[in-house]
Amino acid sequence: LPIDELKRYIAFCRTHCQPRLTEAASVALQNNYVAIRSTVRAREVEGDRATIPIMVRQLEAIARISEALAKMELSPTATERHVEEALRLFKVSTLEAATTNRNISETLSPEMMAEVQTVEARIEQRLPIGQQVTERELVADLSRQGLSDFAIRKALSVMMRRDQLEYRQRRRCIYRCR
């Protein structure tokens, strides 16, 4: 698709399409909002400090994302399907940030999850407890083994959140804590 054509399409969408949530989509959004709030509260009661509180601001953002998805299709209404996709995007991007490995499998395909676990095992083999290596060297070594950059970055992130790894020397080196 040529850039000029894409620009014209976006300009047309902005000026001619102002989708609004259908009644069913509004109810679906409301029900999911209540369910997410309940889940967050339950985790807080259990003492889990790794949760992100969901507020009206997030609800409004999910509604805007739903409307934007409908606008991309030039639809006059945002339906339950748009709300479901907006909620999926919200959960993957925002809620995952507050959780550790327990929810990573919900957002990755089984193949990618397996690759992330392989990367974690290779990092544990490559980097003994109490040792450090430059991030560049570790990433290059894992890449040479045929592992994807995404899986490497995801594994590093998960291991950092679990306090297995930490950055040192202004994020140039990775130290294995446990």
Side-chain angles (χ1 to χ4, degrees):
L1 185 66
I3 295 290
D4 288 339
E5 191 174 334
L6 182 61
K7 286 180 180 179
R8 282 195 313 265
Y9 179 77
I10 292 170
F12 181 84
C13 288
R14 284 183 178 157
T15 58
H16 291 87
C17 188
Q18 303 299 320
R20 294 291 169 238
L21 291 172
T22 64
E23 187 63 34
S26 296
V27 170
L29 182 57
Q30 179 183 4
N31 291 340
N32 278 286
Y33 174 74
V34 170
I36 293 170
R37 292 239 355 155
S38 298
T39 303
V40 168
R41 281 194 187 122
R43 286 185 180 166
E44 287 174 351
V45 167
E46 294 170 2
D48 187 355
R49 292 281 179 208
T51 58
I52 293 177
I54 181 168
M55 300 179 179
V56 175
R57 178 181 285 172
Q58 283 84 7
L59 176 66
E60 292 168 348
I62 295 167
R64 283 193 306 274
I65 292 169
S66 301
E67 291 169 351
L69 291 167
K71 186 180 276 195
M72 287 187 335
E73 299 173 355
L74 293 176
S75 173
T77 58
T79 64
E80 290 176 85
R81 181 175 56 83
H82 298 118
V83 169
E84 288 171 13
E85 178 62 11
L87 284 162
R88 186 192 70 77
L89 291 169
F90 172 77
K91 288 175 183 175
V92 168
S93 65
T94 305
L95 296 180
E96 181 192 353
T99 59
T100 57
N101 196 37
R102 64 179 177 259
N103 286 342
I104 192 172
S105 61
E106 295 173 10
T107 58
L108 296 179
S109 68
E111 297 81 17
M112 184 53 67
M113 185 62 197
E115 187 176 1
V116 169
Q117 290 171 339
T118 299
V119 172
E120 288 182 44
R122 302 259 177 97
I123 290 171
E124 289 171 351
Q125 291 170 348
R126 166 75 171 77
L127 190 59
I129 294 172
Q131 299 295 311
Q132 70 181 22
V133 65
T134 66
E135 182 178 24
R136 180 181 293 166
E137 184 180 335
L138 181 61
V139 170
D141 186 35
L142 294 167
S143 294
R144 279 192 299 275
Q145 295 176 36
L147 299 164
S148 72
D149 189 58
F150 177 83
I152 294 167
R153 298 292 174 195
K154 182 61 89 172
L156 288 170
S157 173
V158 168
M159 293 177 81
M160 295 278 182
R161 282 185 276 169
R162 281 197 227 122
D163 294 325
Q164 289 178 283
L165 301 175
E166 66 181 40
Y167 280 112
R168 293 204 170 162
Q169 297 179 8
R170 298 183 185 166
R171 292 182 61 110
R172 284 193 303 260
C173 290
I174 295 175
Y175 174 78
R176 176 137 179 240
C177 309
R178 55 184 182 104

